[in-house]
Amino acid sequence: MGFLLNKENNYHFAREILWLLITAMLIYAILYPITSKIYYIYWKINALFIFLTFTYFRYSVMFKSLPFLRPSWVRFLLFAINLSLFIYLAGYEQRLISLADNFYLEDFGFPKVFITDIMKRGLFKYMYTEIVVFSTGSLIMLSAFQIRLIISYWQYYKHQANLLLED
């Protein structure tokens, strides 16, 4: 039994590492059109937006199959952290969108290559779309995950109440 449990834990660990590698490759691919042209100052927060969008989508959909979400203290800790994270991410989303509205390239970083006005317009269009999609996506997925956590609490306590009533 101990061997089976260990084998199962190794499977879940390997699966999670694989998902993190896939997410890292997606982050790199999405940010590459920006980072190849400028020394992007906001790459960390932008990578966080993308990471949270994909990861929390996966967590919301595959909630029951994730063994590290089974302990109630882990779910409560994530719930509490996500409340503050939502406010932090919303503030950064507003900041980045307002910087993109200024259309000033140096607000995002200095160019690595010579950028013409046409290239600058295309880069800003891509940055604006990418920032809006993934910052809003991260906020939506964070909210969806919060709702999923609330549903799991409700199901757990409803089950516990039913067990107590049966006794």
Side-chain angles (χ1 to χ4, degrees), residues 11-29:
Y11 165 73
H12 288 297
F13 181 74
R15 188 176 71 172
E16 194 63 29
I17 293 296
L18 180 64
W19 275 112
L20 289 175
L21 287 173
I22 291 169
T23 304
M25 288 188 303
L26 285 170
I27 291 169
Y28 181 79

Side-chain angles (χ1 to χ4, degrees), residues 113-165:
V113 296
F114 180 74
I115 298 179
T116 64
D117 285 339
I118 294 171
M119 288 174 58
K120 183 178 174 182
R121 235 178 276 125
L123 178 64
F124 265 91
K125 183 177 180 181
Y126 180 82
M127 277 195 315
Y128 187 83
T129 303
E130 187 269 333
I131 289 169
V132 168
V133 166
F134 287 106
S135 61
T136 305
S138 67
L139 294 175
I140 291 170
M141 288 300 107
L142 202 140
S143 300
F145 187 60
Q146 291 291 79
I147 291 169
R148 186 62 186 103
L149 288 170
I150 292 169
I151 290 171
S152 75
Y153 277 122
W154 178 73
Q155 288 172 340
Y156 174 74
Y157 288 114
K158 183 180 172 188
H159 176 71
Q160 291 296 95
N162 286 342
L163 287 177
L164 289 174
L165 289 174

Side-chain angles (χ1 to χ4, degrees), residues 3-128:
F3 176 75
L4 178 67
L5 194 60
N6 191 16
K7 190 175 182 180
E8 186 177 339
N9 285 340
N10 288 339
Y11 165 73
H12 288 297
F13 181 74
R15 188 176 71 172
E16 194 63 29
I17 293 296
L18 180 64
W19 275 112
L20 289 175
L21 287 173
I22 291 169
T23 304
M25 288 188 303
L26 285 170
I27 291 169
Y28 181 79
I30 291 167
L31 289 181
Y32 183 74
I34 301 170
T35 58
S36 66
K37 293 181 179 65
I38 64 173
Y39 294 102
Y40 192 40
I41 298 169
Y42 300 105
W43 71 269
K44 291 178 186 173
I45 190 68
N46 213 334
L48 181 64
F49 286 146
I50 299 166
F51 175 80
L52 287 176
T53 301
F54 288 121
T55 304
Y56 276 8
F57 175 76
R58 186 172 56 87
Y59 286 0
S60 297
V61 171
M62 301 171 57
F63 190 82
K64 294 216 183 236
S65 68
L66 299 169
F68 57 87
L69 290 177
R70 288 192 185 124
S72 60
W73 66 269
V74 171
R75 290 180 294 187
F76 177 77
L77 187 65
L78 277 172
F79 185 82
I81 290 171
N82 286 342
L83 292 174
S84 299
L85 187 60
F86 186 90
I87 294 167
Y88 177 76
L89 293 176
Y92 251 105
E93 177 185 28
Q94 290 176 344
R95 180 178 177 184
L96 291 175
I97 289 173
S98 68
L99 287 175
D101 287 340
N102 290 339
F103 203 71
Y104 190 60
L105 189 61
E106 283 74 16
D107 285 344
F108 291 98
F110 290 100
K112 290 182 178 179
V113 296
F114 180 74
I115 298 179
T116 64
D117 285 339
I118 294 171
M119 288 174 58
K120 183 178 174 182
R121 235 178 276 125
L123 178 64
F124 265 91
K125 183 177 180 181
Y126 180 82
M127 277 195 315
Y128 187 83

